[in-house]
Amino acid sequence: MANAFLSFFLLIFSSNIIFENIHACNQRERSSLLFLALTLSSPQLNWTSADCCNWEGITCNQGGWITHLQLPSKGLKLKEGIFPSSSHGNLTHLTHLNLSHNSLYGSLDQTELFLSLNDLEILDLSYNLLFGVLPSSLPSSHIRMVDLSSNRLHGVVPSFFFQQALNLTSFNVSNNTFSGPFPSSICHPSSSSLRHLDFSFNNFTGSISSGLGKCSKLQIFRAGYNYLLGSLPEDMFNSTTLEEISLPLNSLYGAVSDRISNLTNLTTLDLSYNQLSGVLPVHLGKLSKLKHILLDFNYLEGSFPLSLMNCTNLVELRLGSNNLEGNISVLNFSRLGQLGKLDMQKNNFSGILPISLYSCKFLKAIRLSYNNLEVQIHPKILSLEYLSFLSLGWNKGLTNLTGVLKMLMGCKSLVVLSLASSFLGEEMPNGVEVADFNGFQNLRILDLSSCNLNGVIPSWLSKLKKLQVLVLNHNRITGSIPSWLGTFPRLQILMMHFNQLSGEFPKDLCTLPMLVSGETVAQVSRIYPELPIYYNPSADALPLQYNYVFYTRFIYASHNCLSGKIPIEIGQLQLLNQLDLSANNFSSNIPDQMSNLKYMEVLDVSMNHLSGKIPASFTGLNFLSSLNVSYNNLGGPIPSSTQLQSFNASAFEGNLKLCGAPLPNKCQTTEGADAPDMSTQDADTKEHQIPFMFLLHLGSLQDFGESVVPWCL
Ligand SMILES: *[C@@H]1O[C@H](CO)[C@@H](O)[C@H](O)[C@H]1NC(C)=O
Ligand SMILES: *[C@@H]1O[C@H](CO)[C@@H](O)[C@H](O)[C@H]1NC(C)=O
Ligand SMILES: *[C@@H]1O[C@H](CO)[C@@H](O)[C@H](O)[C@H]1NC(C)=O
Ligand SMILES: *[C@@H]1O[C@H](CO)[C@@H](O)[C@H](O)[C@H]1NC(C)=O
Ligand SMILES: *[C@@H]1O[C@H](CO)[C@@H](O)[C@H](O)[C@H]1NC(C)=O
Ligand SMILES: *[C@@H]1O[C@H](CO)[C@@H](O)[C@H](O)[C@H]1NC(C)=O
Ligand SMILES: *[C@@H]1O[C@H](CO)[C@@H](O)[C@H](O)[C@H]1NC(C)=O
Ligand SMILES: *[C@@H]1O[C@H](CO)[C@@H](O)[C@H](O)[C@H]1NC(C)=O
Ligand SMILES: *[C@@H]1O[C@H](CO)[C@@H](O)[C@H](O)[C@H]1NC(C)=O
Ligand SMILES: *[C@@H]1O[C@H](CO)[C@@H](O)[C@H](O)[C@H]1NC(C)=O
Ligand SMILES: *[C@@H]1O[C@H](CO)[C@@H](O)[C@H](O)[C@H]1NC(C)=O
Ligand SMILES: *[C@@H]1O[C@H](CO)[C@@H](O)[C@H](O)[C@H]1NC(C)=O
């Protein structure tokens, strides 16, 4: 009886203890949290009940101390734009702080939040709007993981932090604007536990002299998209635990050391967009775990390391835009059963495509354009059921467009097909031989440019309803622009410059849904080609890389024999960004409606027979960055706006009756009124002048025309 009573008493007593230990939060910490909540403008946290250990995002330990403060993706905003800067925020037992994916806009410079967080092990403030420099109070003694990525932090990343953070396993500051030299001694000689290091997407400069070789556990090293210089750090090859090296888009030079073949666990090697030279390590293929090799856009030379044909795990091999050479017909791809992407564009490879390539049944993308290959397309290509990107142009030997198209139509997954500069001088198939064309139903980009093809724009194209980009420039295509082109539901880029097209600019082309309606644009999904597409805005700039097909909308029809009026319906193409109708025979006025093209960036109607005035409404084309109306019969004053006057005089020259800035000739006060009359009177003289000027300029424009093969497929 007494025992039972005692038990009962004990039970009450101990449950009381449990209540105190587990449920009651430390009052001082409670007020710290409330202070923290006060610095937030939204949302209202439901932090009201007495026991703060039950609050959302809070975890306490047995002693009632707060150990976890985790409020990721809660839409948190700071009131003052300052990260909590008072020392009220004492949470001395906190081990986990995760406020990632919020909208915390504030400076880390002055914060004292970290001062008391001596026990902190996990710090995740990624995906916020934090700025300022890293505070020297960044907790280091117990820290294991730091993720400050995707903010706007700047300044240097101090080396001393790494010297103190002995238990650091992961450090991610990617996607900020950190600058200055790369931290010099990241790893401890003996005890480094660092596994993941991510410095990518910042402004780091100088060379990578980091003592990485001492990181005896390092698995991931990323520092791409910076301004790093110098050679690959030699001691990196001592970190045999490395699984990923990603240093793309820097200015690293020198050769890739043979010692790389010591890194037997390497799965990803991304050194693309650097200035690396020399030959590729012969034994690269000893790294049997390699899945991703990205070495494109360097100055690598010599031959393809045959050992790579032993990398049975290879998924992606990109060696494009280098100076590699050799006969690829000796390559045996049959062991690369996982290969999904092969990109060797812009090298000096020769020989014929080995048939063994078609045994890589998961291939999704093949780009071998701009080499010296003898291209033949073998029927076995039909066994590549996932093939969605095929680019073989700018090589030799590819003939029989009809046969090739008939065959490739069996590749049901094709999204991108580029066969530019092939089939030289053949006829564009359009007759009975293609009457039964069906296929290409997923094709979104078709490039048959620079093939010198004869014939007309073929009607079978009209069946390719998903086409978004049609590239037919630099052929000898005759006939008129078919009106059904205007019915393509998704067409946004149409390149047909440098052909022999005649007739009028069809009104129906002015109804292209993607150029007319923002709603259509919103509905059409972006193309994410299996390989990036490179766009060269100018000949000497580094090509821009696009992982999806740009929003840009072009019609290029220059250097044809188009005539008649520019239809007033052109004003419907409101979403068009670039329109080039230059070097045709268009006559009559520039329609006033052209000024409806509010998003127009580049407009070229030069070298036609356009007369009348430049519409006054042109002053409303706010996005216009390039205008060319030169070598027409235009007259009257150039409408005044800061925009039009900012262009070079050459944009207007060759129009004898045109006057006013930026042209040197001033307008006579009466000239505006009777300009149309004068143009008819002077028609004769102008007929003689135009061809002369036309010739004068053809040379330079032709250069322009050639470099306007604006992207690499
Ligand atoms: C706030 O949290 C308490 C429990 O802690 C709960 O009873 C109450 O419904 C919550 N209020 C709101 C508005 O969510
Ligand atoms: C927080 O800690 C600092 C020292 O780290 C101390 O000076 C301050 O008084 C503490 N604040 C509160 C509210 O306890
Ligand atoms: C922080 O929270 C997010 C969202 O739950 C999670 O994905 C992330 O892994 C957490 N960070 C750390 C370092 O655990
Ligand atoms: C570092 O980590 C080890 C193992 O996880 C642990 O035993 C040790 O206490 C930690 N050291 C510090 C300073 O946190
Ligand atoms: C670093 O953070 C970024 C997001 O900001 C993420 O994409 C990247 O994978 C992270 N790096 C590592 C090594 O985990
Ligand atoms: C970089 O950060 C911005 C802003 O947080 C984010 O929108 C973007 O996706 C991030 N980029 C990468 C590559 O992680
Ligand atoms: C980082 O580099 C870019 C490109 O050079 C520059 O525009 C930007 O101002 C730099 N940011 C900082 C914080 O240095
Ligand atoms: C790399 O390791 C080798 C021994 O395998 C050693 O001789 C060399 O000093 C190390 N290099 C660096 C830079 O640590
Ligand atoms: C390579 O990876 C394997 C499996 O993850 C691991 O057991 C091995 O220790 C690693 N080798 C090195 C040198 O890190
Ligand atoms: C690393 O590679 C070099 C040359 O390729 C070789 O001499 C050396 O023994 C290798 N070191 C290790 C630790 O495997
Ligand atoms: C490929 O691996 C085999 C053994 O698996 C080896 O005999 C052969 O020499 C390797 N080929 C190359 C080119 O390294
Ligand atoms: C082109 O290919 C087709 C189909 O493969 C074939 O019937 C035709 O004879 C070929 N034409 C030429 C000129 O080789």
Side-chain angles (χ1 to χ4, degrees):
M1 185 66 185
N3 260 355
F5 192 81
L6 189 63
S7 305
F8 177 71
F9 189 76
L10 269 180
L11 198 69
I12 291 192
F13 185 71
S14 57
S15 74
N16 197 25
I17 289 176
I18 289 165
F19 179 82
E20 292 246 293
N21 279 356
I22 293 183
H23 296 287
C25 80
N26 178 303
Q27 284 310 300
R28 217 177 57 212
E29 296 206 321
R30 187 178 190 275
S31 50
S32 291
L33 284 181
L34 286 175
F35 180 81
L36 203 70
L38 275 181
T39 65
L40 300 173
S41 67
S42 72
Q44 290 292 310
L45 290 167
N46 185 9
W47 279 0
T48 45
S49 62
D51 185 357
C52 69
C53 291
N54 288 333
W55 290 356
E56 182 186 10
I58 303 297
T59 310
C60 295
N61 65 9
Q62 295 269 318
W65 298 98
I66 297 170
T67 55
H68 292 51
L69 172 52
Q70 291 174 307
L71 293 166
S73 306
K74 290 285 184 287
L76 301 182
K77 287 192 175 128
L78 288 173
K79 218 177 254 170
E80 308 283 340
I82 316 165
F83 209 69
S85 63
S86 132
S87 56
H88 292 280
N90 283 1
L91 298 169
T92 49
H93 288 65
L94 200 68
T95 57
H96 289 64
L97 177 61
N98 188 344
L99 301 174
S100 65
H101 291 274
N102 282 298
S103 304
L104 301 175
Y105 173 83
S107 167
L108 276 192
D109 286 8
Q110 304 299 323
T111 188
E112 288 164 28
L113 178 76
F114 298 129
L115 280 177
S116 64
L117 305 184
N118 285 321
D119 283 357
L120 203 65
E121 294 173 19
I122 309 287
L123 173 64
D124 188 348
L125 300 174
S126 62
Y127 288 98
N128 277 290
L129 304 164
L130 301 171
F131 54 90
V133 300
L134 281 189
S136 55
S137 59
L138 203 60
S140 56
S141 47
H142 296 280
I143 201 82
R144 288 191 282 129
M145 198 180 275
V146 174
D147 191 347
L148 299 172
S149 66
S150 294
N151 279 287
R152 298 160 181 184
L153 299 164
H154 71 264
V156 297
V157 173
S159 289
F160 68 76
F161 169 77
F162 295 98
Q163 294 309 299
Q164 291 163 2
L166 294 172
N167 266 8
L168 191 66
T169 61
S170 170
F171 186 78
N172 191 346
V173 291
S174 75
N175 198 12
N176 281 284
T177 49
F178 286 110
S179 58
F182 205 76
S184 60
S185 44
I186 288 174
C187 307
H188 297 276
S190 50
S191 64
S192 180
S193 40
L194 204 57
R195 288 185 161 81
H196 299 171
L197 204 49
D198 196 338
F199 290 91
S200 42
F201 297 101
N202 279 289
N203 280 6
F204 288 107
T205 52
S207 61
I208 311 173
S209 53
S210 51
L212 286 177
K214 301 193 191 92
C215 296
S216 54
K217 292 180 179 153
L218 192 62
Q219 293 169 338
I220 299 181
F221 175 46
R222 293 184 193 155
Y225 303 87
N226 280 292
Y227 299 97
L228 298 169
L229 283 170
S231 48
L232 293 169
E234 190 60 21
D235 69 340
M236 184 171 76
F237 303 116
N238 277 16
S239 300
T240 52
T241 46
L242 271 170
E243 294 170 11
E244 174 179 339
I245 299 174
S246 289
L247 301 168
L249 227 137
N250 281 295
S251 299
L252 302 171
Y253 50 79
V256 182
S257 164
D258 283 333
R259 294 187 59 219
I260 199 168
S261 49
N262 287 356
L263 307 181
T264 49
N265 271 1
L266 204 62
T267 61
T268 297
L269 177 65
D270 184 356
L271 301 172
S272 53
Y273 286 102
N274 277 290
Q275 287 150 32
L276 298 169
S277 56
V279 298
L280 282 170
V282 193
H283 298 299
L284 193 57
K286 276 193 181 165
L287 305 177
S288 59
K289 294 188 180 171
L290 271 174
K291 287 185 177 165
H292 305 276
I293 302 179
L294 289 86
L295 295 169
D296 37 356
F297 291 92
N298 279 290
Y299 303 116
L300 299 167
E301 57 191 33
S303 55
F304 185 103
L306 291 178
S307 62
L308 283 179
M309 293 294 132
N310 267 351
C311 293
T312 51
N313 292 303
L314 210 56
V315 171
E316 184 174 21
L317 177 58
R318 285 166 52 178
L319 301 172
S321 285
N322 280 291
N323 299 320
L324 299 168
E325 61 190 14
N327 187 336
I328 69 163
S329 59
V330 301
L331 301 180
N332 183 353
F333 286 87
S334 56
R335 299 190 64 197
L336 307 186
Q338 307 298 315
L339 193 64
K341 301 179 186 186
L342 176 68
D343 186 1
M344 312 211 294
Q345 63 139 355
K346 288 204 171 168
N347 279 289
N348 295 319
F349 291 115
S350 57
I352 51 174
L353 269 185
I355 289 179
S356 60
L357 184 62
Y358 304 120
S359 64
C360 308
K361 60 177 188 295
F362 296 119
L363 264 175
K364 289 187 282 192
I366 303 174
R367 174 159 56 194
L368 299 169
S369 48
Y370 295 95
N371 278 291
N372 277 314
L373 302 175
E374 286 290 337
V375 180
Q376 290 158 15
I377 302 180
H378 195 276
K380 279 196 173 164
I381 200 166
L382 296 175
S383 62
L384 303 179
E385 62 174 301
Y386 305 107
L387 190 66
S388 100
F389 190 119
L390 180 65
S391 171
L392 299 172
W394 300 95
N395 281 295
K396 304 183 292 198
L398 195 54
T399 57
N400 195 352
L401 179 57
T402 310
V404 165
L405 289 176
K406 274 190 161 172
M407 188 194 305
L408 290 180
M409 249 183 291
C411 295
K412 302 287 183 212
S413 307
L414 269 187
V415 171
V416 178
L417 175 61
S418 174
L419 300 171
S421 188
S422 310
F423 318 106
L424 297 181
E426 290 186 20
E427 195 77 18
M428 179 69 92
N430 194 29
V432 282
E433 77 274 21
V434 287
D436 55 348
F437 259 23
N438 64 337
F440 291 138
Q441 284 308 303
N442 289 307
L443 203 61
R444 303 238 234 158
I445 301 182
L446 175 62
D447 182 356
L448 288 173
S449 64
S450 300
C451 294
N452 277 336
L453 297 174
N454 297 301
V456 300
I457 296 182
S459 54
W460 56 267
L461 279 177
S462 66
K463 297 184 196 167
L464 314 187
K465 291 294 179 212
K466 289 193 181 166
L467 216 52
Q468 259 168 279
V469 179
L470 177 58
V471 186
L472 295 174
N473 55 280
H474 290 86
N475 281 296
R476 290 188 208 140
I477 298 173
T478 51
S480 55
I481 301 175
S483 56
W484 49 256
L485 270 181
T487 66
F488 277 105
R490 298 174 170 193
L491 196 65
Q492 70 185 77
I493 295 183
L494 176 59
M495 312 286 270
M496 44 193 183
H497 49 294
F498 286 95
N499 275 294
Q500 291 157 21
L501 294 164
S502 55
E504 301 202 341
F505 188 94
K507 292 184 179 63
D508 304 84
L509 206 52
C510 305
T511 59
L512 271 172
M514 279 287 272
L515 306 184
V516 167
S517 140
E519 269 171 46
T520 311
V521 172
Q523 281 160 11
V524 172
S525 59
R526 284 189 193 179
I527 315 172
Y528 289 87
E530 292 294 339
L531 288 170
I533 289 174
Y534 307 106
Y535 176 68
N536 262 80
S538 75
D540 25 79
L542 199 67
L544 303 172
Q545 175 178 316
Y546 285 87
N547 296 320
Y548 56 87
V549 167
F550 11 97
Y551 281 127
T552 323
R553 292 169 276 269
F554 300 165
I555 294 180
Y556 278 24
S558 74
H559 295 87
N560 279 292
C561 315
L562 301 171
S563 57
K565 294 181 178 181
I566 298 175
I568 56 170
E569 289 80 1
I570 204 140
Q572 295 164 16
L573 298 175
Q574 289 188 55
L575 304 177
L576 200 59
N577 302 121
Q578 298 197 12
L579 176 64
D580 187 353
L581 301 177
S582 65
N584 279 292
N585 292 324
F586 288 112
S587 54
S588 190
N589 293 353
I590 298 177
D592 202 26
Q593 287 79 356
M594 242 184 189
S595 52
N596 291 348
L597 309 182
K598 294 277 182 266
Y599 297 101
M600 190 64 80
E601 291 156 15
V602 176
L603 175 59
D604 192 344
V605 294
S606 66
M607 299 194 293
N608 280 292
H609 308 291
L610 298 168
S611 54
K613 297 189 201 173
I614 297 176
S617 53
F618 264 39
T619 54
L621 294 175
N622 293 323
F623 291 109
L624 210 55
S625 61
S626 170
L627 172 72
N628 195 347
V629 299
S630 64
Y631 300 99
N632 279 295
N633 301 339
L634 299 168
I638 295 170
S640 315
S641 74
T642 45
Q643 188 93 10
L644 294 180
Q645 270 64 43
S646 71
F647 296 118
N648 212 303
S650 62
F652 301 96
E653 70 189 8
N655 291 287
L656 283 191
K657 293 289 184 288
L658 209 54
C659 63
L663 286 174
N665 55 323
K666 290 222 165 60
C667 296
Q668 322 266 277
T669 39
T670 55
E671 195 171 328
D674 40 15
D677 263 346
M678 291 156 69
S679 73
T680 42
Q681 269 173 12
D682 291 354
D684 247 9
T685 29
K686 282 198 192 88
E687 288 300 324
H688 287 103
Q689 282 156 357
I690 285 149
F692 172 66
M693 293 176 191
F694 186 83
L695 280 178
L696 200 72
H697 270 254
L698 201 59
S700 58
L701 269 156
Q702 201 126 36
D703 290 343
F704 173 73
E706 292 293 345
S707 67
V708 167
V709 183
W711 55 73
C712 272
L713 283 170

